[in-house]
Amino acid sequence: MWEFLIRSLDASTIFTIAALGELIGQRSGILNVGIEGVMLFGATLGFITAQTTGSYLLGFLVGIAIGGFLGLLHGFFSITLGGDQVVSGMGIWILGFGLTTYIGSAYTGLLGLERIPSVLGLSPFFFVGIALVVITWFVLSKTSLGLRIRSVGENPAVAEVSGINVTRTRYLCVVVGGMLMGFAGAIYSLDYNPVWSYNFLMGWGFIALALVFFSMWNPFILLGGSLLFGTLWQLSFNPEMVLPGVLSRYIWRTVPFVITVGVLLLMATKWFRTRWGAAKPEALGQPYVKEG
Amino acid sequence: MSQVKVERGDTVLEARGITKRFPGVVANDHIDFEIKAGEIHAILGENGAGKTTLMKILFGEYQPDEGEIYIAGKPVNFRSCLDAIDRGIGMVHQHRKLVPAHSVIENIILGHPRAGKILNIKRAENEINELCQKYGFNIDLKAKVWQLSEGEKQIVEILKALYRGAEILILDEPTSALAPTETEKLLESIEAMAKDDLSIVPFITHKLAIVLAISDRVTVLRRGKVVSTVDTTEATERSLAMEMVGREVIFRLKRTEVEKGETILEVENLSALSDKDILALNGVSFSISEGEIFGIAGIAGNGQNELVEVLAGLRDLERGKIRLDGQDITQKTALERWKLGIGYIPSDRIHVGSIADFSLVENTTMNYYFDGDYQLQGSLDYEKIRALTEEIIAEYDVQTPGPETTAKSLSGGNLQKLILARVLSRKPRLVIAHLPTQGLDIGATEFVRNKLMEAKKDKTGILLISEDLDEVLSLSDRVAPIYEGKFMDIIPGEQVKRESVGAMCAGIYLDEDEP
């Protein structure tokens, strides 16, 4: 049971960090559905780097860097070119899936490094994740930069008139967001499950994406949601723990999505909107073209 | 300009020979005027007179092709609105530039250099409260903007400009969306700001009374040129209107008497909820006969939207009955009502009345697609609809290169003509005209009113909902002032007194009208 809890918390750490990356981008108005692809890249390149150099640090740095680069790429398509963000994101996912399979298959197998030591029985990244949640919350709601990011995601035209550089702010967010996604991928392949195999992520990125919608774009709800989703995910490996022999793990894995649909339905109700307004960043997914 | 000490009455802004051309049109043609410190200087002009262009030039959104702007005697060259803001120009947009999801205070400090890296909300709050007290604004700084009324949103925009250090405040149609009490308060605040040596420049299209009430001087624009700049004390509503349009305007449209025919619409005890689940329409009963214009006068937000939408079949009702020619249509859908002869002219012609990217032919189709005469073996007979659109364009004098142009390329007046035409050309039994002349220039307004009169002569029943008291009073055979979802009274046209109706729209009965 203890083991199960630890694994759940470790899993939710990865969801938290990846989803935070997505949340930051979305608060600035950029939707990146290619989060799974970014994580695959971060995980695979981080894994290969760490294995070849023997250095975890280098592995993580490469994972973060490639994530940042893919964020930049997504930014180029969706901010500079003003293209469809879903199309660009799907492209990144497909690219990530294909390319990492091609590059990584030669490295199939164990990482072969000494495990990263745990802190208080937990992965050290668990604490990093919590710190990142607090930092993200603080930056978004208490700082000038956060106000700028939120404004750009709500109404870029207003932000522009108020003297904010929409393009720069959005780039900053997608790049930082991509770095967090790449980091989350590297945590998976270097710490959570240090083995490379075909399609090892199996939808973690999509759960993180769902998590952002579940969180109603609030970092703390996101943290709570990732604990829930992490536990559900972990349960999917041993469904018999709850309902012996009844549910397959693949059914379990749809549960986070079902919950997310429920939250989205709730947000769509009149009851919700008249009390809290629209939680979703108003300009999410819309390219911004300067007037004149 | 904050560096230079300004004395009351000094010229703070001067425009010389401002010219701006767009393909095929000179929007601003050598415009000259000057604004003094502490002056309220209205810029008046019809739609298309070049007001918007001038406003955008003053705020740095457009660069003029010719001419200079001087601030405190020095030439300035605005490359963006930020330059204008830096030189002390503040803009209060008609289409509010605010983030609805954010609080009032967040909106005001957004992008402000003094907001601090870590937001110093307390300090900002104190400073903004000081401004509020000084100029008599009353607003909850912690409220989210989406919860505010139009008037409150305008206050937020004014505060934002002032907080940014604006000394010249440009107001785009400042009273167009305000309730009378809000208007009154705004005028008081504007005067307080002017006393404090701020210059106020309201741009106004049609509310001539406001111009007279508020401004010290007024500059009238027509077709991109300055017609005159006069002291307001020397102007009257009539003289301003004449300068604006360049010809005498018939303000009092002659109400043609048409013999009333059979009853078309009967509404009994109608109630409906607003989007916020508040009882917005509370037990309204009336009827409309053939050849009658039934006018509803009132300030926006007193249940007019709900009434119109219920009648058009777009909103569920709570209670009540609607009959058309004796048939109960309470449960009928919007389409069924169209087919039964209800024509609907929505107040929002851009979003509800038309599809911006569709051609005029396709937009005309919106009221014809369900009509068997315009179908060909189950698909639309575009040839026929196109011919109809061409007829409409000619008959209603819609200014457009052709029927295949998109709706968004039309000016407001021309778009409204198209919408009006496609509704009236169906020869409806009943027309619901919701703010049919809102935002139109005087020429187009006159046109729309005349067309409604013509329809009335053809025995069409018309429900006219307007916030323009003069419009309702001069057109309607009977007038119902609406207040908080109820009719205050239903008054026959010949007995209507302007003051009484105005008072009733504010929920007050003058002594002699006490029912």
Side-chain angles (χ1 to χ4, degrees), chain B residues 228-424:
Chain B
S228 68
T229 298
V230 291
D231 286 340
T232 315
T233 44
E234 290 162 24
T236 64
E237 246 177 85
R238 190 158 283 263
S239 75
L240 290 178
M242 276 178 65
E243 277 171 354
M244 252 170 95
V245 251
R247 65 195 152 87
E248 180 86 36
V249 186
I250 313 153
F251 259 106
R252 284 265 159 198
L253 210 135
K254 254 303 202 223
R255 186 171 39 233
T256 28
E257 293 303 331
V258 177
E259 188 143 345
K260 270 203 212 169
E262 290 164 26
T263 305
I264 299 174
L265 181 80
E266 286 168 278
V267 171
E268 250 174 58
N269 201 19
L270 207 60
S271 297
L273 298 181
S274 73
D275 289 342
K276 292 187 176 161
D277 280 341
I278 297 158
L279 192 67
L281 190 65
N282 191 358
V284 160
S285 304
F286 63 100
S287 66
I288 302 179
S289 309
E290 288 174 335
E292 182 185 32
I293 299 186
F294 186 88
I296 294 180
I299 297 133
N302 275 298
Q304 296 99 317
N305 277 330
E306 288 76 11
L307 173 62
V308 164
E309 287 172 12
V310 166
L311 291 179
L314 303 171
R315 180 181 290 274
D316 290 334
L317 45 77
E318 283 291 292
R319 270 196 312 281
K321 264 205 166 34
I322 310 168
R323 272 190 293 274
L324 186 75
D325 289 322
Q327 184 189 355
D328 187 341
I329 60 161
T330 315
Q331 297 303 328
K332 296 260 191 252
T333 63
L335 179 58
E336 287 165 331
R337 293 181 200 204
W338 274 106
K339 288 180 177 167
L340 287 171
I342 292 186
Y344 173 41
I345 301 167
S347 59
D348 183 348
R349 65 183 79 95
I350 295 167
H351 299 106
V352 183
S354 64
I355 297 180
D357 285 315
F358 276 19
S359 72
L360 303 189
V361 176
E362 287 166 319
N363 271 294
T364 305
T365 313
M366 296 298 162
N367 288 165
Y368 277 93
Y369 71 93
F370 47 81
D371 191 328
D373 290 351
Y374 291 85
Q375 288 168 354
L376 214 57
Q377 286 142 10
S379 67
L380 289 170
D381 185 351
Y382 267 113
E383 279 315 304
K384 207 167 169 185
I385 299 171
R386 193 189 153 91
L388 172 77
T389 311
E390 277 167 355
E391 253 172 62
I392 283 176
I393 290 174
E395 195 198 328
Y396 281 74
D397 191 30
V398 179
Q399 298 293 320
T400 171
E404 295 301 335
T405 8
T406 53
K408 68 177 169 200
S409 68
L410 294 188
S411 72
N414 283 309
L415 183 58
Q416 188 70 338
K417 283 181 184 174
L418 183 86
I419 294 170
L420 187 72
R422 73 170 189 216
V423 170
L424 293 183

Side-chain angles (χ1 to χ4, degrees), chain A residues 142-144 150-151 162-163 277, chain B residues 106 110 116-117 119 160 164:
Chain A
K142 297 285 168 198
T143 70
S144 198
R150 287 185 286 131
S151 303
S162 308
Chain B
E106 283 177 328
L110 175 63
K117 277 214 159 56
L119 296 173
K160 180 169 179 163
R164 269 287 178 110

Side-chain angles (χ1 to χ4, degrees), chain A residues 138 141-145 147-148 150-151 154-155 158-159 161-164 270 273-277 291, chain B residues 59 81-82 85 93 97-99 101-102 106 109-111 115-119 146 160 164 274-277:
Chain A
F138 183 81
S141 53
K142 297 285 168 198
T143 70
S144 198
L145 174 66
L147 179 59
R148 294 210 296 270
R150 287 185 286 131
S151 303
E154 290 287 342
N155 192 332
V158 171
V161 186
S162 308
I164 287 153
K270 214 184 230 178
R273 275 182 292 128
T274 48
R275 274 159 192 82
W276 291 285
E291 277 176 63
Chain B
F59 195 53
C81 42
L82 286 186
I85 291 172
H93 301 86
K97 299 257 187 190
L98 296 170
V99 180
H102 292 177
E106 283 177 328
I109 63 175
L110 175 63
K117 277 214 159 56
I118 291 174
L119 296 173
W146 62 267
K160 180 169 179 163
R164 269 287 178 110
S274 73
D275 289 342
K276 292 187 176 161
D277 280 341

